[in-house]
Amino acid sequence: MKATARAHPNIALVKYWGKRDERLILPHQSSLSVTLGPLSVTTTVEFHAQRGDDVVQINGTLARDGERARVVSVLKLVRREARAAGRRAPGLAHVTSAGDFPAAAGLASSAAAFAALAVAARVAAGLPRDVRAESVLARQGSGSACRSVQGGFVRWNRGARADGRDSYGEQLFDAGHWPDLRLLVGMVSREEKEVKSRDGMRNTVATSPYYPAWAKDAEVEVKRLVPLIRRRDLEAVGELSERNAWRMHATAFAARPPLCYLKPETLSVMQACGRLRKQGVGVWFTLDAGPNPVLLTSARDEARVAAVLEGHGAASVVRCSPGGDVVVS
Ligand code: 2P0
């Protein structure tokens, strides 16, 4: 009763920002992301026959409190699913998880970690592979994780059901669809962010007067984005991604208290993208709930864009391209 799974993180081009159900992690709107290869998190789950406390080790350290509780809640759902499938409920679990990219990259590892955990735990419990069930499970660990079970371009369908069974990540195009696409993460700040995504989005939903407009617009933008990715139109995908990042952050700025994830260096990189485009470089930004911008470009302009990030004070630049599905071993 042991399995290992490896998953890539993802970056949303139309972002998820706000829950309609906090417990089940159901979003107010659909979102669309691309997985970031070659970065990955590998998670091993081993279930034992006896009962007892689960042991969770993350990057070599025993997880505690909230971090451990989120992993344990996913294991609990797997035991329940195994019982419902007529299998003997697995006992206590040993979970070990490690990322191959430094936390200093400023990239959230939780999407990859919970996608790998969901797949490894289900396989270890003897449940058959089922990407939809895996995505629904990953979502309940961390929302964005439901978009990391499959590779390439994945849409998290908002869904309408109260039980969340129709709210999962669905692959639209696999990693091989757009091999020329590059996503460069510029590490402009190492400071720990003051407000976690989970708290920031809760506060935005509760207090930003722009929230309803955000949710409505994001739903429409997801629909607009699909044909642009289908035809690999970097300019159109880049423009839409930039404006969606602006709109997410504008909605957060309008919360009470205001929520600003940008640092001065972040804004300077964002503005540099516009200047570079005037010089003929195809580059657009997106920005998650943190200060480090992710630049969309092509293989042709990759070196030039990396140099510009470094010139704007990025201590490191992580170069990515679309990654594949979760791999089980
Ligand atoms: C996203 N983010 O779509 C958005 C954009 C951050 C900004 O998903 O509370 O760690 O575990 O569901 O998934 C980060 O939030 O939050 C996130 P929970 P999660 O990628």
Side-chain angles (χ1 to χ4, degrees), residues 10-12 14-17 19 25 31 33 70 108 110-111 139 141-145 147 156 193 197-199 201 248-249 287-289:
N10 68 70
I11 178 78
V14 174
K15 314 237 176 239
Y16 145 56
W17 197 247
K19 298 175 181 65
I25 312 196
S31 53
S33 62
R70 281 168 76 176
S110 67
R139 189 200 76 224
S142 187
S144 53
R147 299 187 311 236
W156 176 4
K193 62 186 179 196
S197 297
R198 192 163 281 198
D199 302 327
M201 66 175 90
M248 184 200 105
H249 287 274
L287 184 67
D288 267 356

Side-chain angles (χ1 to χ4, degrees), residues 130-147:
D130 174 340
V131 287
R132 187 178 298 189
E134 288 158 0
S135 180
V136 164
L137 179 63
R139 189 200 76 224
Q140 292 172 84
S142 187
S144 53
C146 79
R147 299 187 311 236

Side-chain angles (χ1 to χ4, degrees), residues 1-8 25 41-47 56 70-82 90 93-97 109-150 167-169 325-329:
M1 298 196 93
K2 181 175 177 180
T4 296
R6 180 170 167 263
H8 299 294
I25 312 196
V41 173
T42 301
T43 301
T44 298
V45 177
E46 180 169 16
F47 284 114
V56 180
R70 281 168 76 176
V71 172
V72 168
S73 73
V74 169
L75 297 170
K76 221 168 162 179
L77 292 170
V78 172
R79 289 191 191 96
R80 192 197 293 169
E81 205 181 328
H94 270 95
V95 177
T96 51
S97 184
S109 58
S110 67
F114 280 100
L117 172 70
V119 175
R122 286 184 89 262
V123 173
L127 292 162
R129 290 292 316 269
D130 174 340
V131 287
R132 187 178 298 189
E134 288 158 0
S135 180
V136 164
L137 179 63
R139 189 200 76 224
Q140 292 172 84
S142 187
S144 53
C146 79
R147 299 187 311 236
S148 272
V149 171
Q150 291 178 289
S167 189
Y168 54 87
D325 297 348
V326 165
V327 173
V328 177
S329 57

